[in-house]
Amino acid sequence: MSPSSPADAPAVHLAQFENSYVTLPERFYARVGPTPVAMPRLIQVNEQLAAELGIDVGGEDPATLAAVFSGNLIPAGAEPIALAYAGHQFGHFVPQLGDGRAILLGEVRDASGARRDIQLKGSGRTPFSRNGDGRAALGPVLREYLVSEAMHALGIPATRTLAAVTTGERIHREGLVPGAILTRIGASHVRVGTFEYFAARGDAEAVRLLADYAIDRHYPEVRSTAQPYLALLGAISERQALLIARWMLVGFIHGVMNTDNMVVSGETIDFGPCAFMDAFDPAAVFSSIDRNGRYAYANQPHAAQWNLARLAETLLSLLDPVPERAAELASEVLSRFSARVGEHWLAGMRAKLGLTTPRDDDSQFIEGFLERMHRGQADFTLTFRALCDAAATGEADARVRTLFASPIAYDEWAPAWRARLSVDAPDPAARSTAMRRVNPAFIPRNHRVEQAIVAAVEREDYSLFSRLLGVLSRPYADSQAFADYAIPPRPEERVTETFCGT
Ligand code: AMP
Ligand code: MG
């Protein structure tokens, strides 16, 4: 059985495809379709996102949608391909990775005119599958759905999830588990590892084509600069700096920041072993495969800079014909990176604390508070959310103090904070409201994600998943009905390790 073609099924019109990646040379990808699955069933389709993409899901029956989002039915205008890429995984270069279980159906323009990729993940083997089965398990698919959509709702650039389906097939992981397919929407899927793929082959022509493609698609403004490729490196670095700072500000730990999992568009991608921390801990690691803490919470700026250095290496010949000069130019850009992360982080932290006028000792003041949180095992999300109330009235201090193992850690700090607030933002209600917009009440806490996955995988009960997805779509709302979702896990609920499940 091969995917339906116009010959054996009426072509379904999903969206207006406008595919650009297929216009790149054949060595950028492999033309390959999804492998049909036994019995696709729709778990969830993201109607709001569909509308943004000009996809009328209301006009199709669930069976057709399940067929499309499982890859059993190829919509008109799609040109399925698997993309080639390489990558440094935990510091080790792998010259060929590529989409081993994902297929790019094509690109559409969203409501704002931006080009977006529609990709099926878990859609079967491709020439890049190596020893993998090309499939995805239900658990990780639900996890990616929840976390990617949560990131978006938090205001953090991320790939989105348009749909999830079960395949009606079981796949081998730790035992037999239900198979599923996720439809991922991305600004593109050009990775640092895509550049590395061609650079490692000495294919300078392809590197230049890819750089031009990235400029056209994501950074058209650099085209008119004196040094477009240098400006491209700078622009990609800047978006990464902002992205990493925003991860840090919500306690997000990506978990597998390999260069194949960093896209040049600046979106968060690959939600394998990611996690949000509960108690604040700079050394927090959840990923079961991150044995040495390479991608620990506080190491993320450094990891990103390391990845950008790998990107820079692929671009050197485009920066200057004299290798030494090219290296100097690239280093100059990279040397600014950690300061830029710090600046975005500091601005974000000030907002989280309700501070509006920068002062020289802000970094120290904030670090001091985080240090107290760390020692006091204070829950990162809940503490900042509780501070929103405390910013309005001292009575709310009672709540904040209880979040610290020894409440005196907060008592000692609070007076200095209050003194700052009274100068910076004199209106208590206004500062509290402003803080509520940057300190989420609801994050995809590991134990909640885990509970939703277990219910779905073991009992085919998707009610927890749907409920959690709903809660996460309004992270900054005050919602008494969902108050349970704002609280940290009880000791027996705690999830300390996450898996990529590939
Ligand atoms: P990831 O760990 O998800 O970032 O994937 C790293 C590489 O392994 C990518 O090239 C994936 O396409 C590939 N891969 C992961 N899981 C599978 C699978 N089940 N079958 C084939 N390829 C896979
Ligand atoms: Mg990946």
Side-chain angles (χ1 to χ4, degrees):
M1 190 158 78
S2 70
S4 305
S5 63
D8 49 29
V12 58
H13 178 90
L14 185 72
Q16 189 61 46
F17 282 93
E18 204 184 305
N19 309 323
S20 64
Y21 210 81
V22 286
T23 67
L24 290 165
E26 296 271 344
R27 61 192 190 281
F28 280 67
Y29 52 82
R31 288 190 190 266
V32 52
T35 307
V37 298
M39 212 176 65
R41 254 186 42 205
L42 201 56
I43 299 169
Q44 183 95 21
V45 57
N46 187 336
E47 292 183 13
Q48 227 173 340
L49 177 58
E52 230 178 84
L53 300 173
I55 297 175
D56 175 23
V57 288
E60 300 292 348
D61 63 283
T64 305
L65 291 177
V68 169
F69 294 128
S70 65
N72 279 13
L73 186 62
I74 302 300
E79 294 172 90
I81 52 174
L83 276 51
Y85 57 85
H88 275 87
Q89 299 190 309
F90 291 93
H92 302 286
F93 187 60
V94 184
Q96 177 161 320
L97 292 164
D99 288 333
R101 54 165 175 167
I103 284 177
L104 178 64
L105 287 180
E107 303 148 34
V108 299
R109 296 237 179 234
D110 68 16
S112 74
R115 194 183 280 282
R116 308 273 286 271
D117 278 6
I118 302 182
Q119 191 203 56
L120 301 179
K121 191 171 164 184
S123 49
R125 289 180 54 82
T126 76
F128 306 110
S129 296
R130 296 172 291 162
N131 297 320
D133 60 1
R135 293 300 182 190
L138 177 57
V141 163
L142 295 179
R143 203 177 151 71
E144 172 153 356
Y145 201 138
L146 291 167
V147 184
S148 66
E149 287 302 302
M151 291 296 268
H152 169 72
L154 285 163
I156 300 173
T159 62
R160 304 283 309 273
T161 301
L162 177 61
V165 299
T166 46
T167 58
E169 295 172 0
R170 296 206 158 245
I171 61 172
H172 290 277
R173 291 298 182 265
E174 292 91 49
L176 280 174
V177 296
I181 296 171
L182 179 125
T183 304
R184 175 159 73 184
I185 306 299
S188 82
H189 285 83
V190 178
R191 304 154 192 262
V192 169
T194 319
F195 283 89
E196 291 180 288
Y197 177 85
F198 294 112
R201 283 161 180 72
D203 190 343
E205 168 69 10
V207 171
R208 192 180 54 74
L209 282 171
L210 188 63
D212 287 334
Y213 183 85
I215 290 174
D216 290 344
R217 190 155 173 182
H218 301 298
Y219 302 95
E221 68 281 2
V222 309
R223 180 66 72 202
S224 55
T225 63
Q227 282 253 48
Y229 300 116
L230 186 63
L232 173 66
L233 180 63
I236 293 172
S237 301
E238 175 57 20
R239 270 192 213 172
Q240 285 299 328
L242 182 58
L243 182 67
I244 305 299
R246 300 190 74 173
W247 289 357
M248 309 287 284
L249 291 166
V250 295
F252 178 77
I253 303 153
H254 184 283
V256 58
M257 291 176 68
N258 295 334
T259 56
D260 51 307
N261 292 332
M262 183 190 267
V263 275
V264 301
S265 67
E267 289 183 331
T268 312
I269 189 169
D270 203 315
F271 300 87
C274 65
F276 283 72
M277 60 181 165
D278 295 304
F280 179 69
D281 177 8
V285 175
F286 288 87
S287 169
S288 62
I289 52 174
D290 190 3
R291 296 272 171 237
N292 302 313
R294 180 183 173 95
Y295 302 134
Y297 173 78
N299 285 352
Q300 296 183 114
H302 178 258
Q305 187 176 30
W306 193 90
N307 290 350
L308 290 167
R310 305 290 78 75
L311 173 66
E313 285 164 3
T314 72
L315 297 176
L316 287 178
S317 64
L318 295 173
L319 301 185
D320 199 284
V322 183
E324 292 75 25
R325 180 69 193 133
E328 251 171 61
L329 291 170
S331 309
E332 237 171 79
V333 171
L334 297 173
S335 68
R336 289 197 293 271
F337 182 76
S338 68
R340 288 301 290 153
V341 177
E343 282 157 21
H344 290 304
W345 178 85
L346 188 56
M349 269 295 167
R350 279 194 190 104
K352 284 175 81 71
L353 287 169
L355 310 177
T356 55
T357 330
R359 287 200 205 172
D360 288 346
D361 61 351
D362 278 349
S363 273
Q364 247 178 309
F365 180 66
I366 294 163
E367 294 286 3
F369 181 59
L370 292 174
E371 174 61 36
R372 283 166 188 275
M373 284 178 67
H374 182 206
R375 265 185 284 128
Q377 293 160 43
D379 184 83
F380 185 75
T381 307
L382 199 51
T383 301
F384 280 101
R385 187 69 177 183
L387 283 180
C388 303
D389 294 325
T393 161
E395 280 162 36
D397 278 348
R399 170 92 171 110
V400 190
R401 334 178 45 246
T402 62
L403 301 174
F404 289 75
S406 74
I408 192 167
Y410 176 68
D411 298 340
E412 289 171 345
W413 176 82
W417 176 54
R418 284 239 147 67
R420 275 295 298 276
L421 284 184
S422 61
V423 179
D424 272 21
D427 177 356
R431 66 190 177 217
S432 176
T433 305
M435 285 170 68
R436 259 163 226 287
R437 291 201 194 102
V438 292
N439 291 309
F442 305 111
I443 52 157
R445 291 191 183 265
N446 301 325
H447 68 297
R448 289 293 184 182
V449 173
E450 197 59 32
Q451 287 162 4
I453 289 173
V454 168
V457 172
E458 291 179 4
R459 306 191 294 278
E460 289 186 48
D461 172 3
Y462 289 91
S463 61
L464 295 186
F465 167 76
S466 299
R467 195 172 154 87
L468 184 54
L469 193 59
V471 172
L472 296 174
S473 69
R474 300 179 61 223
Y476 299 103
D478 272 308
S479 168
Q480 274 316 306
F482 298 126
D484 277 1
Y485 286 83
I487 57 178
R490 294 189 299 271
E492 72 274 17
E493 291 176 322
R494 210 167 279 153
V495 174
T496 54
E497 205 174 22
T498 50
F499 303 88
C500 25
T502 46

